[in-house]
Amino acid sequence: MTQRIDGTAFISGSFLSEASILIDGDTITYAGPESALPSDLNADEHVRHDGLILPGLVDIHCHGGGGFSFPDTEDPAQAAPAIAEHRAHGTTSIVASLVTAAQDTLMSRVRALRSLVEAGELAGIHLEGPFISHARKGAHDPQFIAEGDAARTLALLEAGGGTIATMTIAPEADLDGNVSRALIAHGALPSYGHTDCTGEQMITAIQKAHEELASVGPVARSTKPTATHLFNAMRPIHHRDAGPAFAAIDQAAAGTVVAELIADGVHTSADTVRYTFDLIADGHIMLITDAMAATGMADGDYVLGSLPVTVKDGVATLTEGGAIAGGTAHLLDVVRFAHLEAGVSLERAVLAATATPARVLGRHDIGEIREGARADLALVSAEGLEPERVMHAGEWFSSDAS
C-alpha cells in the first residue's frame, strides 16, 4: 500500500511547509517539497494535514502508562496498555524501564520484555538500578540496592540477548568500572545517575565510558554514555560543591555524554529546562518522560516496582516518604512544556525527543522523516501540539484495536 501525506513537516531539523511524504508499506520513500513531485502521482491513500507532521517520538526512559507498569511484566501481553497509551500520544518508539529489584525478578522481567523488543513493539530495555546510591535512591526500594556487580550485569545482558539498551548506575557504585565495561562490551550504554558522587567522579566515569565506547567500534550503539534524568536523584548543586549535575552538563557541552531531562514542570521547572537547553547543544540533550503506570489515568493508588505510589493532581509520589515516583506525562506533553512554558524552540524540543534518542539507541531508521526511515509519524495540532493521528510502521494507530 502506498500513502501520501502533505502538510508542514519536520524534515532535516526544521519545519518545511508544503511538504510531501510518500510511504510504501512501512518505509518512507520520499520526504521533501510537494512541488518536486510529479503532478500525476497517485497513492492508495492521500492525507492533507493542517497542523504539524512530526517524526514519531522516541522515549528512552519510560516505566509504563495506561494503568500498567513495565516492572510488573510477567507476560509480554500485559505491556500492551502501556505501549498503546504512549503510542496514541505520538510516541512510536519506547524503551521499557525497570526499577531496582531482586536479581531473579529482574531476570524474569528482562526475559518477558525481550520478545516485545524483538517484535518491534519496544525499542529496548532500560535497567534503572540496582547499582545506585542509597542516598539518592528516589523511588527505588532500598532493600535491593547493591554495589556494582559485573557478574549480575552479565547475567542480565545474556538474558536480554542484545535488547538491553541502557543501565543506570551510580559512579560511586562502580568505581572499578567493571559494570560499565560489561555493558559496553555487550552493546549497552552506561547511564550515570541516582548518584551522590562528586563532580570529579561523574566526569571520570563519563570520560572513561566515552573512550571505551569509541574503542569497541560497531559493537556500541553510540560513542557516548548518557546521564539519567539530569538533576533528579542527584546530589544538588551548591555554590561550594557543583556536584554531579553540573559535571554532567559540562560533559554534555563537551560532547562526551547525552543528558536526559524530564521537562514536565514537576521534575524540573521551566527556568531549569531553559537554562539546560542554553548550555547543551543539540544532539547531547534528550527529553524523556520517566512515565509510570498512572500516565493517562486518574489520580489514585499505584505501584512502582515493589513500592506503593500515590498520584494526586497528576503528581506521583511514594505513599511513604513522598519522593517523586516517576512522571505522568506523555513525551508530547514534555515537548509542549519545553516549548510553550520553557521557551525552547520547537525545533530543538522535537530534536531532543526524536533524532537524539534514536541515535543514542544506535537507530537510524527512526526519529526522522526521511527516505529509508520507518514510517513513524505524529500528526499534531499547530498551536497546542495535541495529537490527532499517529502512524507506526506505515499503519495508522487505532486505540480501539489495542
Side-chain angles (χ1 to χ4, degrees), residues 183-207:
L183 292 167
I184 291 167
H186 288 76
L189 297 174
S191 186
Y192 299 108
H194 277 277
T195 177
D196 200 43
C197 73
T198 66
E200 290 77 10
Q201 286 174 317
M202 177 66 90
I203 290 171
T204 297
I206 288 170
Q207 291 183 347

Side-chain angles (χ1 to χ4, degrees), residues 200 235-243 246:
E200 290 77 10
R235 186 153 51 88
I237 295 166
H238 188 276
H239 59 281
R240 287 190 295 272
D241 180 9
F246 266 178

Side-chain angles (χ1 to χ4, degrees), residues 268-357:
T268 53
S269 70
D271 283 345
T272 299
V273 173
R274 183 172 64 255
Y275 296 153
T276 305
F277 268 86
D278 284 346
L279 292 168
I280 302 176
D282 294 337
H284 296 93
I285 183 169
M286 54 186 170
L287 295 173
I288 62 163
T289 62
D290 197 20
M292 46 81 73
T295 304
M297 306 294 288
D299 286 355
D301 296 325
Y302 296 85
V303 174
L304 181 60
S306 55
L307 300 179
V309 174
T310 299
V311 179
K312 182 178 180 181
D313 298 328
V315 178
T317 58
L318 289 183
T319 305
E320 296 183 11
I324 294 177
T328 60
H330 307 96
L331 191 51
L332 188 58
D333 301 325
V334 173
V335 170
R336 185 185 304 113
F337 181 88
H339 175 52
L340 296 180
E341 301 297 329
V344 177
S345 73
L346 184 54
E347 290 85 353
R348 296 197 69 198
V350 171
L351 277 174
T354 55
T356 298

Side-chain angles (χ1 to χ4, degrees), residues 250-264:
D250 178 67
Q251 290 300 296
T256 59
V257 72
V258 183
E260 298 177 351
L261 188 67
I262 315 172
D264 61 359

